[in-house]
Amino acid sequence: MTTSQPRTACTSTTAHAPTTVRFSTTARAARLFAATAVLGGLLVGTAGPALAAAPERTALRTTAQEAAPATVSVTGSGRAAAAPDLAILSVGVEATRKTAKEAMAAQSTAAKALLEVVRKEGIADRDIRTDSLSLSPVYTQNTQGESKVTGYQAGQSFSVKVRDLDRTGQVIGAVNDATGDAGRTNGVVFDVADPSALRVKAREAAFQDAYEKASQHARLSGHRLGRLVSLSEGDSVRPGHGAVPSMPADEPGVPLAPGEIEEQVTVSAVFELV
């Protein structure tokens, strides 16, 4: 009897051990399943708004594209004219001698005479500028067709601004008298000393031309002209500069017709159509 009791207690302990282990494993599995379910719900809840927002963004982009206004692009041109108040003379001297040294000396003497006379005519030093200075050989072809250097030609040209137009012809005549056969009058260009005011008027005319064109396009297309989107200006042009050719040295005075100076401006504009 005494020996069998411990055996029975031992058998009872051995029989209950597996039951305890099985219960613990089942509990852990249940907790893991519950956590997985909760995480899955969170992921589904997060993805839902994102998926719902995608069609909304597409709709916004489509609406923005449809709402973009129509535009019209035009080019306008404007002109403004005024009487010139400035004459720019292109005058110079030229001398041909047997040697380069002699040619340079001769042109130097003639150039000094030119500068002296234009200063006597009231031209300020700031209005006198040397444009070029040259020295080149002179070739002569003999009967056998061979070219040979027979001399040298030296020259110098000046740009002279005459701010009193009424005295332009007088200055040209004085230069020819002072330089003799060495003198050269290559031309005269009339201009305005300050073209900014002329350019302002041409710009205003160019913009008005562009606006009127855009307004007409809007009316023809069944729209109204909206706001200005962009505006750019091209380079201004001043065509029609007057000029006279070279004249002989014995010409005492030159009658000139200055005419008008014209400024041209072009603009490119983009307007909305509403």
Side-chain angles (χ1 to χ4, degrees), residues 4 44-45 48 59 87 125-126 133 140 156 186 191 213 221 248-249 260 269:
S4 62
V44 171
D125 286 344
R126 66 185 178 92
L133 177 65
T140 302
Q156 188 172 179
N186 302 315
D191 206 345
K213 289 179 180 177
S221 61
E260 282 188 332

Side-chain angles (χ1 to χ4, degrees), residues 34-55:
T36 303
V38 172
L39 179 60
L42 291 175
L43 293 175
V44 171
T46 304
L51 293 174

Side-chain angles (χ1 to χ4, degrees), residues 113-125:
L114 185 152
L115 294 175
E116 182 178 354
V117 73
V118 295
R119 289 185 178 112
K120 284 183 179 179
E121 291 294 327
I123 308 300
D125 286 344

Side-chain angles (χ1 to χ4, degrees), residues 127-140:
D127 291 331
I128 306 170
R129 183 186 67 201
T130 297
D131 287 337
S132 67
L133 177 65
S134 63
L135 175 66
S136 58
V138 176
Y139 293 93
T140 302

Side-chain angles (χ1 to χ4, degrees), residues 24-98:
S24 177
T25 302
T26 303
R28 285 199 299 271
R31 288 195 298 270
L32 179 61
F33 177 78
T36 303
V38 172
L39 179 60
L42 291 175
L43 293 175
V44 171
T46 304
L51 293 174
E56 184 179 350
R57 287 197 298 268
T58 304
L60 289 174
R61 285 197 297 268
T62 304
T63 304
Q65 292 174 356
E66 292 176 353
T71 59
V72 58
S73 301
V74 292
T75 299
S77 60
R79 300 183 179 188
D85 57 8
L86 178 70
I88 304 174
L89 308 180
S90 177
V91 294
V93 294
E94 194 174 84
T96 302
R97 299 291 186 272
K98 288 185 177 181

Side-chain angles (χ1 to χ4, degrees), residues 147-258:
S147 296
K148 182 180 179 182
V149 177
T150 57
Y152 290 85
Q153 186 180 78
Q156 188 172 179
S157 64
F158 299 89
S159 175
V160 178
K161 293 181 179 180
V162 181
R163 299 184 183 274
D164 183 358
L165 291 188
D166 293 338
R167 301 183 65 252
T168 303
Q170 179 180 333
V171 173
I172 294 175
V175 168
N176 289 334
D177 288 341
T179 56
D181 292 339
R184 300 291 184 271
T185 302
N186 302 315
V188 55
V189 173
F190 297 101
D191 206 345
V192 289
D194 183 11
S196 59
L198 199 60
R199 192 172 296 120
V200 167
K201 293 181 180 179
R203 185 179 294 117
E204 291 175 352
F207 181 82
Q208 185 64 29
D209 182 48
Y211 184 84
E212 291 175 357
K213 289 179 180 177
S215 298
Q216 183 182 18
H217 283 297
R219 185 173 62 256
L220 293 174
S221 61
H223 293 81
R224 290 182 296 105
L225 196 63
R227 68 183 183 90
L228 177 66
V229 177
S230 67
L231 179 69
S232 61
E233 179 178 327
D235 294 334
S236 60
V237 181
R238 201 179 306 159
H241 288 257
V244 295
S246 299
M247 288 157 284
D250 59 353
E251 184 68 35
V254 181
L256 301 174

